[in-house]
Amino acid sequence: IEEFKKDPEKYVSKIKDINLYAYQYGFSPDPLVVKRDDLVRLTITSKDVSHGVYIKEYGINLDVKKDEFKKIEFLANKAGEFDILCSVYCGPGHSKMKGKLIVKE
């Protein structure tokens, strides 16, 4: 978030706070839709068992346990559609647990 620290006035109106819920076997909301250059603040929690939130293109890989809250921030500086995957085995439907991050121009 170095870009934000260098010029906070530029990004303050672009802050997007999103509560992301992981559950067997999905994410809510899905898809996550933001604009390019938004500063995304995710607050992630699990409703049932341990899950992971993995977004390869943004270098995000975060584990969260049931009823735990974790926060992560990133600058959505790459436009496109990106998979959100669960990176912690969470049961027989784990391999189908996917969501989307859509970063619009």
Side-chain angles (χ1 to χ4, degrees):
I1 308 299
E2 291 303 313
E3 292 89 351
F4 178 80
K5 290 178 183 176
K6 289 177 189 174
D7 190 3
E9 293 292 323
K10 177 180 175 183
Y11 292 100
V12 74
S13 66
K14 296 182 175 213
I15 296 172
K16 301 295 180 217
D17 286 304
I18 300 172
N19 294 319
L20 181 64
Y21 299 94
Y23 60 89
Q24 289 178 311
Y25 299 100
F27 296 98
S28 179
D30 182 32
L32 297 180
V33 181
V34 299
K35 293 180 184 173
R36 186 175 185 172
D37 291 330
D38 280 350
L39 179 62
V40 181
R41 291 180 178 165
L42 287 180
T43 301
I44 304 163
T45 191
S46 169
K47 294 182 177 184
D48 44 33
V49 299
S50 293
H51 292 285
V53 175
Y54 176 64
I55 307 172
K56 177 183 176 182
E57 293 81 2
Y58 282 97
I60 295 170
N61 192 3
L62 189 72
D63 297 351
V64 64
K65 297 176 184 167
K66 180 182 178 184
D67 297 328
E68 177 180 53
F69 290 88
K70 290 204 176 170
K71 295 181 184 241
I72 191 161
E73 296 180 346
F74 65 96
L75 183 64
N77 59 356
K78 301 170 196 157
E81 292 190 14
F82 309 98
D83 289 330
I84 303 171
L85 304 174
C86 181
S87 58
V88 173
Y89 182 77
C90 56
H94 168 73
S95 64
K96 295 180 182 176
M97 185 172 169
K98 296 178 183 176
K100 282 281 184 205
L101 167 65
I102 300 173
V103 181
K104 295 184 174 186
E105 282 290 341

